[in-house]
Amino acid sequence: MKKNLKENFVAYSYLTPFLAVFLVFLAYPVFYSMWISLHKATIYTSWYSPFTSMKYVGFEHYINILTDIEFWWSIGLTFIYGLLTIPTGIMLSLLLAILLNNKIKFKSFFRSAYFLPNVLDLLVIGIIWILIFSPKYGLVDMVLAKIGIHNAFPDGILGSPYLCLPAIAFAMVLKGAGFGMILFLTAIQNISESVYEAADIDGASWHHKLMYITIPLVKPIILFMTITGTISCLTAFTEIYAMTSNTGGPTVQVFGHTLRSANLAGYHLYRSFSEGAYGKAAAISFVLLGIALLISFINMKWLKSDN
Amino acid sequence: MKKITLSALLYIILFGGAMLVLLPLFWMILTACKQPGQALEFRFLPDSVLESEIQAVYQPITDKAIVIFEFNPNDCPDIPVSSISVAGTFNGWNSSANPMVKDNNIWRTTLHNIDIGNHEYKFVVNGNNWIQDPANKPTTTDNCLITLQAGLNQNKKTLANQTYIQGKTLFIAIDRGNAESLQVKIFNQTINLLKNDQNYFTATVEIPETEIGKHAITYTILEPQNFWDGMKKIYTFNNFKKVLYNRDFPFGQFFLNSLVVAAGTALLTVILCTMAGYAFAKKNFFMKKQLFAMLLSTMMIPGMIFMVPQFAIVNHFNWINTYQAMIVPHLANIFGLFLLKQYISTIPNSLFEAANIDGANELQIFKIIIIPLSLPIMVTLFLLTFVGQWGNFLWQLIVNTPDSTYRTLPVGMALFRGQYGQDWEMMMAGACFSIIPIAILFLIAQRFFIEGMTTGAVKE
Amino acid sequence: MARVTFKNIYKTYDNQITVIKDFNLVIQDKEFLVLVGPSGCGKSTTLRMIAGLEEVSQGDLFIDDTRVNDVHPKDRDIAMVFQNYALYPHMSVRENMGFSLKLKGVPKKEIHTKVDEVAKILGIEDYLDRKPKQLSGGQRQRVAMGRAIVRNPKVFLFDEPLSNLDAKLRVQMRIELAKLHKQLNTTIVYVTHDQVEAMTLADRIVVMKDGFIQQVGTPLELYNRPQNAFVGGFIGSPEMNQIKVKIQQQKDQLTLLGSNFSIPVPEAQKQALLQTNIGDEIILGIRPQDMIPQKQAENKIAIHREVDVIEPMGGESYVYFSIDEAHKTWIARCDGAPQVKEGEKAAFVIDPEKIHLFTPDGSKRIE
């Protein structure tokens, strides 16, 4: 018992600095946010003292959000964005990993090249993509002009309501592919060579091997990427901020409402936040958290059901 | 044979993919190195032949002529010239109708479609000083006199592009003093020009029947261009210099602040996560599993939730405009804790037991086992945090007032973008400064990085 | 001078699973004691309790006359060699070996000479500046032992030290370990699951199963007089043949009756057997060495069976046959090539003096 006490003491000594920061800057803010989400600022005060006059409003923010077409629009867009990025991201990463798993030269070069974009700043990458996608003088338009298609996107790709979100998704998939590739590559390299040799002897073709050996054995990675992908879609902000120049994309008319075509949930949250609607922003955060937990739960059930 | 084709295809796909993935990076560097105005041109290598703008010669319509006026300031050294124009009967003595343009210290203007016959004229210096043409002093009247004939350059000035038409013949004469050779593209053919004793490139071209009667004949001058001269016209490093030595944009200060914030956060995060990760991986303590599950579940929460309360706390601590405001709130990195815990779990227990028997105390165990053995993951976490904080725009923006000396590079970039938003070359030069350090850091330490990342995530 | 004493020791994990039950043992000074048993029998836990890496849940543990239940490992004056060697990967061999002395504050010069001395004994002088990664398995093993020897401890603890080596190296290291024990002349506690290692190295062997001591004794005692069916089966290679037989009485002659064979009980065991019930089933054990396959029995006591498989090993041969209808396989051993052939009937001649008898549940030897 004495030893137990001592071990507890030692362990908590190691934990203390971490837990201290955690409690002050992560745990406390969560509860604080809950409180804020039930309140409303009655008068606008300065940015440096935002909570001087808060009025309790109960679940008003939550009710407002759930009946707000703009919110559901952003959730729908986020869903589309997720469909655009997560499966393509996983497939592209897996494809790259399988290609790189061959005996090839310059393997480390390719690995670095694909991984490098991951460490680069989203904000800056976003600005570069704006330049690439911009009308008339952007790389895409110039290349199209070279092959005879002039003025293909008069408003620019990012200015077109239908192309804006897919273009952002395209840029983000390219940026993130290398990370998934590394995860898949490690998992594939952990598969024993003899399993594939056995499959060869059993007469399996390459797609059999892919379907029946590789994919089942990298399933944990697929699960991991799906969950992290879901979370990053729900919190996607910087890429929208950077690539739509803080507008949320070109406008579209839906049932008489003017909506932004790249107004993802995370960005929607930021807008409420930057407009000073802290209560609403906090409430949106918790709704998003609920959705994230739900989706992660379904993902885990679904992908683990086979095992 | 099939195998070679397949492997060639593999390389092509991989290489093409790599280029596509790195496209933003390449495009950024390329744009940053371009001359002002060149960013939006689809040109990467200089043309071997420099094609001039389209030149036009007007065919003589029976009663019209071309005349070129020239003024050499050396002829009248006593008059300081800041602008000069020509006025005469052909433009109704309008002193502002035909300003002259200075070229190689000679003021010139070419007038087309002047009625043939006799004309009087004077030069107007600095808008109100009427003088006579020093090269064509009048003999009888106060005004200078010229007589114009159809199509001809009547006053025979030696001009840069002294090209004219007489009858059905085009006389080309171009002044390009330092050029080796020149060509002219005209009537769908390219003609080599000859250099005459006055260093003019000349040619005589018969105007084909189909072209006669048209108002103007157009041609372009082709000048061979030296590769490096051409490169210099497209590329420059000046953008980087302009970014570095910008008065409104104390780049060095921003860079230094970013370095302090990113490195400080990364270092402290690694220390905290390693300590906590060690406890979770190798120690037994009260509520261990519940605590870890709770910590992990906070990873699901959108980061925006924390921002307002964190800001309120930082404000409460009076940390606005300080380094610690940008460092401390990010130190409890749950993902980092997870990585470290996973990695330290793989260190065999017997090593700790051996150290225990050898008589090492906790501090020594930390020093001789944890630090050397989890170095790869520590480096990884350092880099991850460094990269994350290097680009953490929003938080660094809100905890600094606009006049703060602690503003960091991303904040500065936003400022810069506001100022030079249309100046793509400058923008990209700034972007290079904010991205290249990270890219280099990554390339140096990527071995650790990849190893560390995968041990943590795959073993989940 | 170091004696390790276990008094009524229990080890329980999480207040639920008891892995060591009422463990009593005295390990004598300078003794080479081997703890042997199948995996999960608690032998490693026992060793780790001596080291102080596991807490003693109940009972008293003494090294010499000091109760060490609450003494820190470093203060117990023991040294341990781990199965995976547990060398500090970033330290050179020299640093690894001298680390514990360094922590004790021994002067550098002294450490240096001490390490040199030990390295010479183990024949690793040439590797002192290498890192563990650059060494082969056998060399690492030696460094791990060297690290223990340098401390000059009262008790050496070995936790399956040879199990990561290949067969040939294992034999070589086994011999060196035996030599080393003579040279060092200290107490060694050695854990293994390999009964050959136990037999060749030990002064005394402790056979364990399910947290209980099955038998303690010298290798020959264990081999010749196993106290229960488990020890009989565990010690000796190939394994002892065992089968259930019935006791029959014909006049004053007791016979062990199996399916299709019967063996008269020798005088020595008669007395003991008479006390059990006639007609009961007991366990009969015969070591393969004590059964010689011949073409004819020639009036000797024998079991007649068809030979299934013969494994010629060169100097000796193993003959496999089915002892009963359920095809329970027995093994007989003979020197050189056997007289019999596969598929033929053979007589397996038995020396009744060398049979082992155990109670029906196998828990006790009958004699």
Side-chain angles (χ1 to χ4, degrees), chain B residues 315-439:
Chain B
N315 196 23
H316 180 76
F317 289 165
N318 270 329
W319 281 0
I320 300 296
N321 293 344
T322 59
Y323 282 138
Q324 62 262 39
M326 291 182 271
I327 292 176
V328 179
H330 304 112
L331 292 184
N333 184 336
I334 309 285
F335 182 63
L337 170 72
F338 176 72
L339 282 184
L340 259 300
K341 187 227 163 196
Q342 292 299 93
Y343 201 91
I344 294 174
S345 299
T346 63
I347 301 176
N349 282 332
S350 58
L351 219 51
F352 294 92
E353 290 166 352
N356 219 336
I357 291 174
D358 280 345
N361 60 29
E362 277 296 336
L363 211 71
Q364 284 163 324
I365 286 180
F366 205 78
K367 210 176 82 187
I368 60 159
I369 299 178
I370 299 292
I371 292 177
L373 288 185
S374 40
L375 204 60
I377 192 73
M378 289 168 81
V379 172
T380 304
L381 182 60
F382 183 91
L383 282 175
L384 274 179
T385 320
F386 190 94
V387 168
Q389 292 308 311
W390 185 264
N392 186 347
F393 162 63
L394 202 54
W395 179 251
Q396 293 171 5
L397 179 73
I398 62 178
V399 297
N400 279 303
T401 52
D403 56 342
S404 166
T405 48
Y406 294 98
R407 279 173 303 170
T408 53
L409 206 53
V411 181
M413 278 297 293
L415 179 84
F416 195 65
R417 193 180 173 189
Q419 259 179 37
Y420 300 94
Q422 293 311 307
D423 195 343
W424 284 110
E425 299 87 3
M426 289 277 276
M427 274 301 298
M428 291 301 134
C432 277
F433 278 116
S434 69
I435 273 185
I436 301 292
I438 297 285

Side-chain angles (χ1 to χ4, degrees), chain B residues 348-361 364 367-369 372-373, chain C residues 48 53 72-74 78 80 82 84 86-91 99-100 103 147 151:
Chain B
N349 282 332
S350 58
L351 219 51
F352 294 92
E353 290 166 352
N356 219 336
I357 291 174
D358 280 345
N361 60 29
Q364 284 163 324
K367 210 176 82 187
I368 60 159
I369 299 178
L373 288 185
Chain C
R48 291 161 61 83
L53 299 171
H72 192 273
K74 69 171 180 197
I78 46 109
M80 186 157 168
F82 292 85
N84 62 356
L87 299 175
Y88 307 118
H90 55 290
M91 292 186 190
F99 186 62
S100 62
L103 290 181
R147 186 170 69 173
R151 302 188 54 176

Side-chain angles (χ1 to χ4, degrees), chain A residues 235-294:
Chain A
T235 55
F237 154 71
T238 316
E239 56 260 49
I240 308 296
Y241 175 89
M243 289 181 71
T244 65
S245 306
N246 196 10
T247 62
T251 54
V252 277
Q253 295 293 330
V254 182
F255 302 127
H257 295 269
T258 304
L259 299 167
R260 294 282 183 173
S261 61
N263 189 12
L264 294 194
Y267 183 74
H268 183 64
L269 168 62
Y270 163 76
R271 284 308 283 256
S272 317
F273 176 73
S274 67
E275 285 158 9
Y278 303 119
K280 186 182 165 198
I284 292 177
S285 305
F286 285 107
V287 175
L288 290 185
L289 175 62
I291 294 172
L293 287 174
L294 188 72

Side-chain angles (χ1 to χ4, degrees), chain A:
Chain A
M1 203 58 223
K2 209 178 99 195
K3 197 182 170 190
N4 229 330
L5 217 79
K6 196 191 157 200
E7 195 167 4
N8 263 308
F9 175 75
V10 172
Y12 274 102
S13 313
Y14 276 115
L15 283 171
T16 303
F18 190 93
L19 286 182
V21 178
F22 173 81
L23 288 176
V24 174
F25 286 102
L26 292 178
Y28 172 66
V30 171
F31 295 106
Y32 200 43
S33 283
M34 281 181 191
W35 181 83
I36 293 172
S37 78
L38 302 175
H39 289 74
K40 199 174 192 174
T42 46
I43 45 165
Y44 179 76
T45 47
S46 86
W47 168 227
Y48 291 98
S49 50
F51 310 121
T52 42
S53 69
M54 299 293 276
K55 196 182 100 193
Y56 179 75
V57 293
F59 287 94
E60 189 190 307
H61 290 307
Y62 290 93
I63 293 161
N64 282 347
I65 290 163
L66 296 176
T67 54
D68 179 13
I69 185 157
E70 222 178 303
F71 175 74
W72 288 110
W73 169 257
S74 76
I75 293 291
L77 282 181
T78 308
F79 186 70
I80 294 170
Y81 185 65
L83 286 184
L84 287 174
T85 50
I86 300 171
T88 43
I90 290 175
M91 280 191 279
L92 187 63
S93 308
L94 186 58
L95 175 74
L96 287 173
I98 290 169
L99 290 180
L100 271 186
N101 196 38
N102 288 305
K103 275 190 186 128
I104 52 165
K105 285 177 183 168
F106 315 119
K107 199 180 217 159
S108 59
F109 163 76
F110 285 123
R111 212 173 48 179
S112 312
Y114 284 110
F115 196 78
L116 183 60
N118 274 286
V119 299
L120 302 184
D121 185 9
L122 249 182
L123 204 67
V124 178
I125 291 280
I127 296 171
I128 301 168
W129 278 107
I130 291 183
L131 174 60
I132 292 174
F133 283 146
S134 66
K136 200 170 170 190
Y137 300 116
L139 176 65
V140 178
D141 261 25
M142 283 199 282
V143 170
L144 286 179
K146 282 275 163 192
I147 58 170
I149 306 168
H150 290 278
N151 216 6
F153 308 105
D155 304 320
I157 296 168
L158 292 171
S160 149
Y162 297 106
L163 289 175
C164 180
L165 198 60
I168 295 173
F170 175 76
M172 290 304 115
V173 167
L174 283 191
K175 178 173 154 55
F179 185 68
M181 176 200 75
I182 296 288
L183 296 185
F184 278 125
L185 196 58
T186 320
I188 290 174
Q189 280 166 352
N190 281 343
I191 301 173
S192 160
E193 191 66 28
S194 57
V195 176
Y196 287 106
E197 285 165 358
D200 273 333
I201 291 166
D202 288 342
S205 66
W206 68 267
H207 59 268
H208 286 133
K209 284 192 253 177
L210 181 67
M211 287 305 295
Y212 298 115
I213 301 175
T214 311
I215 289 183
L217 287 176
V218 299
K219 221 170 171 186
I221 307 289
I222 297 180
L223 177 71
F224 178 81
M225 286 189 68
T226 313
I227 291 178
T228 50
T230 309
I231 295 173
S232 65
C233 276
L234 278 170
T235 55
F237 154 71
T238 316
E239 56 260 49
I240 308 296
Y241 175 89
M243 289 181 71
T244 65
S245 306
N246 196 10
T247 62
T251 54
V252 277
Q253 295 293 330
V254 182
F255 302 127
H257 295 269
T258 304
L259 299 167
R260 294 282 183 173
S261 61
N263 189 12
L264 294 194
Y267 183 74
H268 183 64
L269 168 62
Y270 163 76
R271 284 308 283 256
S272 317
F273 176 73
S274 67
E275 285 158 9
Y278 303 119
K280 186 182 165 198
I284 292 177
S285 305
F286 285 107
V287 175
L288 290 185
L289 175 62
I291 294 172
L293 287 174
L294 188 72
I295 292 176
S296 302
F297 183 72
I298 293 169
N299 273 338
M300 277 203 252
K301 280 272 166 209
W302 178 60
L303 275 161
K304 279 195 173 157
S305 58
D306 293 356
N307 296 350

Side-chain angles (χ1 to χ4, degrees), chain C residues 46-118:
Chain C
T46 310
L47 188 81
R48 291 161 61 83
M49 283 196 292
I50 304 175
L53 299 171
E54 301 278 358
E55 244 179 304
V56 177
S57 306
Q58 200 183 315
D60 301 306
L61 178 67
F62 294 92
I63 294 179
D64 288 337
D65 298 322
T66 328
R67 184 175 181 273
V68 292
N69 282 33
D70 300 317
V71 177
H72 192 273
K74 69 171 180 197
D75 303 322
R76 293 189 183 198
D77 207 0
I78 46 109
M80 186 157 168
V81 177
F82 292 85
Q83 181 174 6
N84 62 356
Y85 320 135
L87 299 175
Y88 307 118
H90 55 290
M91 292 186 190
S92 70
V93 169
R94 179 181 289 286
E95 287 168 327
N96 259 293
M97 287 172 69
F99 186 62
S100 62
L101 297 182
K102 192 177 136 193
L103 290 181
K104 270 188 201 159
V106 176
K108 263 190 187 163
K109 246 190 188 166
E110 207 174 306
I111 298 176
H112 202 90
T113 38
K114 184 83 196 173
V115 169
D116 279 343
E117 198 179 293
V118 174

Side-chain angles (χ1 to χ4, degrees), chain C residues 244-257:
Chain C
K244 287 206 166 164
V245 291
K246 269 188 183 153
I247 310 168
Q248 258 194 354
Q249 191 165 27
Q250 293 174 326
K251 296 168 201 168
D252 60 341
Q253 177 65 42
L254 284 180
T255 320
L256 301 170
L257 194 67

Side-chain angles (χ1 to χ4, degrees), chain B residues 70-218:
Chain B
E70 203 177 79
F71 172 77
N72 191 343
N74 295 335
D75 292 345
C76 312
D78 48 325
I79 307 170
V81 181
S82 62
S83 74
I84 185 164
S85 62
V86 60
T89 47
F90 42 79
N91 60 11
W93 297 99
N94 182 346
S95 63
S96 56
N98 297 101
M100 293 165 88
V101 178
K102 196 173 186 180
D103 175 24
N104 275 335
N105 207 31
I106 307 280
W107 297 83
R108 283 199 190 93
T109 185
T110 306
L111 306 183
H112 300 277
N113 293 347
I114 309 290
D115 292 340
I116 55 172
N118 291 332
H119 287 282
E120 295 180 11
Y121 71 99
K122 262 190 167 174
F123 290 155
V124 188
V125 179
N126 302 337
N128 52 15
N129 190 4
W130 296 70
I131 61 162
Q132 294 171 345
D133 183 353
N136 184 19
K137 292 268 183 200
T139 47
T140 52
T141 56
D142 184 39
N143 297 332
C144 307
L145 272 176
I146 46 167
T147 307
L148 301 179
Q149 287 176 11
L152 277 177
N153 175 9
Q154 299 294 323
N155 47 0
K156 306 266 190 222
K157 296 287 180 212
T158 52
L159 297 177
N161 296 342
Q162 193 179 10
T163 300
Y164 62 93
I165 295 166
Q166 191 163 35
K168 291 182 180 179
T169 313
L170 174 71
F171 297 94
I172 299 173
I174 300 162
D175 179 15
R176 282 289 159 90
N178 43 11
E180 297 270 310
S181 65
L182 279 189
Q183 289 178 319
V184 157
K185 208 156 88 181
I186 187 165
F187 307 137
N188 295 326
Q189 54 180 328
T190 308
I191 296 161
N192 288 317
L193 302 183
L194 297 171
K195 207 169 188 176
N196 69 11
D197 46 5
Q198 284 169 297
N199 268 351
Y200 276 64
F201 290 91
T202 60
T204 316
V205 185
E206 291 303 318
I207 302 171
E209 287 298 324
T210 50
E211 299 287 329
I212 290 176
K214 286 187 180 170
H215 176 57
I217 287 171
T218 56

